[in-house]
C-alpha cells in the first residue's frame, strides 16, 4: 500500500524521487523514540524523523503497525470507507512528507514546516478524491471536503506555534481544494497541471496565489 500511495503522488506531481518510502519505514515506537532524540514522536501514529548534517539528510518514517494492519485488512483502494479515512490520511501524510522532503532536497531547495504541512493537507484530499473517483463513490466525493476540513481536529499535546501552523495549513488547503474539486470531478488535465505548478511554487507564491485568485473563476 505504501508503495502504491507513493507512486500515486509522484505521478500526480510528476516529481519522481529515487528513494522508496518502504525502505525508510519503521513501526517500532521504541526505535522511533531513540531515533527522534530530543524530538517528540507524534501521538497521532505518524512522524517523519529528519536529521541533517554535513553528510546530508537521514530520514525515517514512523507509522504505527496497527494503522497499517487496519488498512491492509480493508484495502481502501478497493473500497474507501469513511471510518478508515483518519487512518488513511495519516499514512498519506507520512508519504507526502517523505516525498516532499526528498524531492526538495534533490532540488537543493529549502522549505518551511508550514509548506510541508500545507502540501500534506492537499495530498490527503487529492489522493482520497482519486480513490473515490476510481470507485465512483458519489457519497464520498461529495462529503470528502467537509470530512477533511470542516471536521478538522488538533491533538491536545501541540504547543501554540504548532497549533497556529496546522490551522493555517488546513485553512489554506481547504480554500485551494474547494475550488479544485470541480476540476477533479471533471476528470480533465487542468487540475493536474495546476497541482504540478503549485507543487513547485515557493511558499510565499502559494499563499499569494490562494489569496489573490481564491480559484473564484475556476
Amino acid at each position: 500500500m505504501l508503495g502504491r500511495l507513493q507512486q500515486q503522488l509522484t505521478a500526480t506531481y510528476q516529481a519522481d524521487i529515487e528513494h522508496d518510502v518502504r525502505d525508510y519505514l519503521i513501526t517500532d515506537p521504541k526505535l522511533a523514540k531513540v531515533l527522534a532524540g530530543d524530538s517528540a514522536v507524534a501521538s497521532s501514529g505518524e512522524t517523519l524523523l529528519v536529521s541533517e548534517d554535513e553528510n546530508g539528510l537521514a530520514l525515517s518514517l514512523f507509522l504505527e503497525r496497527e494503522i497499517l494492519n487496519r488498512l491492509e485488512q480493508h484495502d481502501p483502494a478497493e473500497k474507501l470507507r469513511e471510518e478508515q479515512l483518519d487512518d488513511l490520511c495519516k499514512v498519506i501524510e507520512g508519504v507526502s512528507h517523505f516525498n516532499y522532503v526528498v524531492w526538495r532536497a534533490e532540488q537543493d531547495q529549502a522549505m518551511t514546516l508550514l509548506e510541508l504541512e500545507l502540501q500534506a493537507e492537499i495530498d490527503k484530499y487529492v489522493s482520497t478524491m482519486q480513490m473515490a473517483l476510481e470507485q465512483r463513490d458519489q457519497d464520498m466525493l461529495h462529503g470528502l471536503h467537509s470530512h477533511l476540513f470542516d471536521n478538522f481536529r488538533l491533538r491536545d499535546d501541540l504547543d501554540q506555534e504548532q497549533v497556529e501552523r496546522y490551522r493555517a495549513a488546513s485553512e489554506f488547503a481547504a480554500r485551494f481544494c474547494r475550488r479544485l474539486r470541480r476540476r477533479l470531478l471533471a476528470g480533465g488535465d487542468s487540475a493536474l497541471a495546476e497541482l504540478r505548478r503549485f507543487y513547485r511554487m515557493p511558499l510565499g507564491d502559494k499563499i499569494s496565489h490562494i489569496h489573490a485568485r481564491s480559484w473564484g473563476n475556476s
Side-chain angles (χ1 to χ4, degrees), residues 66-197:
E66 291 79 6
I67 293 175
L68 296 173
N69 287 344
R70 288 193 294 266
L71 292 175
E72 289 168 0
Q73 184 177 5
H74 300 288
D75 189 347
E78 296 179 1
K79 174 59 180 177
L80 184 57
R81 298 170 172 84
E82 184 175 353
E83 62 269 20
Q84 67 182 167
L85 280 175
D86 288 348
D87 280 346
L88 178 59
C89 283
K90 288 173 185 175
V91 175
I92 293 172
E93 181 173 6
V95 176
S96 171
H97 285 163
F98 179 87
N99 274 12
Y100 203 57
V101 167
V102 172
W103 186 77
R104 291 296 290 264
E106 290 177 347
Q107 304 295 314
D108 197 24
Q109 296 175 352
M111 77 183 74
T112 67
L113 291 175
L114 176 56
E115 188 172 4
L116 188 66
E117 297 303 336
L118 171 58
Q119 190 59 54
E121 292 301 310
I122 293 171
D123 287 350
K124 292 176 194 178
Y125 182 76
V126 172
S127 293
T128 48
M129 274 288 286
Q130 288 174 337
M131 288 186 189
L133 282 166
E134 291 170 359
Q135 297 171 23
R136 300 180 180 180
D137 187 334
Q138 295 300 316
D139 290 339
M140 184 65 70
L141 288 170
H142 291 290
L144 188 58
H145 189 280
S146 177
H147 182 93
L148 294 184
F149 298 113
D150 293 347
N151 300 323
F152 178 68
R153 299 184 305 275
L154 291 171
R155 304 195 317 270
D156 295 333
D157 61 339
L158 300 178
D159 61 33
Q160 187 60 36
E161 181 180 350
Q162 291 172 315
V163 167
E164 292 175 0
R165 181 169 66 246
Y166 286 126
R167 282 180 176 167
S170 179
E171 290 170 4
F172 285 134
R175 293 175 62 185
F176 182 92
C177 294
R178 183 179 295 111
R179 299 299 181 181
L180 187 69
R181 176 180 174 276
R182 187 189 311 167
R183 295 183 179 187
L184 289 171
L185 289 172
D189 292 334
S190 64
L192 285 176
E194 194 66 37
L195 282 165
R196 289 163 185 166
R197 288 194 298 271

Side-chain angles (χ1 to χ4, degrees), residues 22 34-35 199 214:
R22 293 170 292 187
V34 170
L35 294 176
Y199 195 79
S214 293

